[in-house]
Amino acid sequence: MSVEERRAHLVEAAIGLAEKKGVAGVTTRDVAQAAGVSLGVVHYCFENKDALMTELAKALSMELRDSVDADEAVWQDAGTGIEALQQLVRAGLELMWLNIEATPERQLLTYETTTYALREGESTPAKLAIAREQYTFNDSTVADVLDHAREATGTEWSVPVQTLSRFTLNMIDGLVLRWLVDNDSAAVRTQLDLITEMITGYAVPHPDHASGS
């Protein structure tokens, strides 16, 4: 394996362990054993557990991003204008939700990673960086999806996309946490409709399309 392949293998092993015993209970020795490698290999790929947990959080975020990008037909047949943007954002949220719904253990792990970083960060500031990097990465992921939707439909956002991505991520965070509690997928889809309306309420036609040129 290349170093990148080895790192990905170790992250996947860490995810499997963390799903079973929680982030706090995972050690680099556990990861080495689960991955079938020596402890030295783990420390060659990751400086410490915090570095491994940071990559774990990013890997979980990438899975959601990939779920939105996976269906090329959704993006290619988007059309133009605000209505097309609404349909595209809602379709993107649905693709994301299908991934979330199929992986409840990984969604719970996302919250556990954040809680672990916040709790441990009280005494070890470096651990707090795990949560901050996690949310920074998530913000950029959502921003990229929103910008992709804007470009695909010939529209513009009336507020900075970074502001909109943070707002969107906050809503999705709460939505997923509530679903983990009550498992009400029907309610989630109704709320995704509302989220779509709120997000696209900050969209305007691109000047070229608005002028008909």
Side-chain angles (χ1 to χ4, degrees), residues 64-166:
L64 285 183
R65 178 173 182 165
D66 290 346
S67 70
V68 178
D69 289 339
D71 192 341
E72 285 296 328
V74 170
W75 299 98
Q76 292 171 354
D77 302 332
T80 58
I82 302 298
E83 184 176 348
L85 177 66
Q86 290 174 333
Q87 294 173 353
L88 183 55
V89 169
R90 182 62 183 84
L93 289 174
E94 183 65 25
L95 290 172
M96 184 181 294
W97 178 251
L98 289 173
N99 178 278
I100 290 169
E101 199 172 34
T103 57
E105 296 85 1
R106 295 202 172 202
Q107 307 317 312
L108 179 58
L109 179 55
T110 299
Y111 292 104
E112 289 183 347
T113 302
T114 304
T115 304
Y116 164 80
L118 291 173
R119 190 179 300 280
E120 297 295 323
E122 293 181 3
S123 57
T124 311
K127 295 187 186 300
L128 184 58
I130 297 173
R132 288 178 174 169
E133 287 195 37
Q134 177 184 7
Y135 272 87
T136 297
F137 187 80
N138 287 344
D139 280 339
S140 67
T141 293
V142 174
D144 286 347
V145 171
L146 293 176
D147 256 349
H148 192 173
R150 172 188 61 76
E151 292 172 357
T153 57
T155 53
E156 297 288 338
W157 297 114
S158 62
V159 297
V161 71
Q162 293 80 8
T163 300
L164 194 57
S165 66
R166 184 176 180 131

Side-chain angles (χ1 to χ4, degrees), residues 52-69:
L52 178 56
M53 291 301 105
T54 298
E55 291 305 309
L56 179 152
K58 287 182 180 179
L60 295 175
S61 298
M62 282 302 301
E63 287 184 1
L64 285 183
R65 178 173 182 165
D66 290 346
S67 70
V68 178
D69 289 339

